[in-house]
Amino acid sequence: ENDRFDEARAAYTSAGHSEMATKMLEQLTHNAVVERRFQDAGYCYWLLSQEVASELPKDPRALLSDADEAKLGRFKDFKERSEIYYAYEFIHRAMDEPCRSSLPST
């Protein structure tokens, strides 16, 4: 399933429709959150952060335009959400799984 998604994103991007690839990724991210697939949501937010980061100037000494500052803000937001959803997956799983009276055997 993810392979087909990655193929579709790559096709949109190579065809010059990167905005469609991003929109598709944003929809997939939303679906993952709604469906409580928090690890997938974290990964999707990480992918979004990497997309935005690739649009920023590569030279760390470069002055950022207002548009670049906005992109940097989006990057930070997506990266933070990625970390939150990855962490929340463990909390959600611990709260959602039935209680155990003994530790799992190893």
Side-chain angles (χ1 to χ4, degrees):
E1 181 180 317
N2 272 350
D3 293 336
R4 302 295 298 173
F5 167 73
D6 291 337
E7 289 174 19
R9 275 187 61 222
Y12 275 126
T13 302
S14 65
H17 297 288
S18 59
E19 71 283 345
M20 286 299 295
T22 300
K23 189 172 186 129
M24 205 168 83
L25 181 55
E26 288 171 345
Q27 183 63 51
L28 187 68
T29 305
H30 173 77
N31 292 348
V33 171
V34 169
E35 295 168 11
R36 296 177 163 213
R37 294 181 293 114
F38 300 116
Q39 186 171 355
D40 291 342
Y43 178 67
C44 289
Y45 272 119
W46 179 80
L47 286 175
L48 285 167
S49 75
Q50 297 308 297
E51 270 189 17
V52 174
S54 71
E55 298 171 3
L56 290 169
K58 305 303 178 222
D59 183 357
R61 298 169 297 189
L63 293 176
L64 298 179
S65 67
D66 289 343
D68 290 338
E69 289 285 349
K71 288 176 188 175
L72 183 59
R74 286 185 69 211
F75 165 78
K76 289 177 181 178
D77 181 51
F78 289 150
K79 179 115 175 28
E80 183 175 305
R81 287 178 188 222
S82 169
E83 293 169 357
I84 289 169
Y85 278 113
Y86 269 127
Y88 190 71
E89 172 64 22
F90 294 102
I91 296 166
H92 175 71
R93 199 172 335 137
M95 299 300 291
D96 203 40
E97 289 180 358
C99 295
R100 298 180 187 169
S101 58
S102 63
L103 295 174
S105 60
T106 55

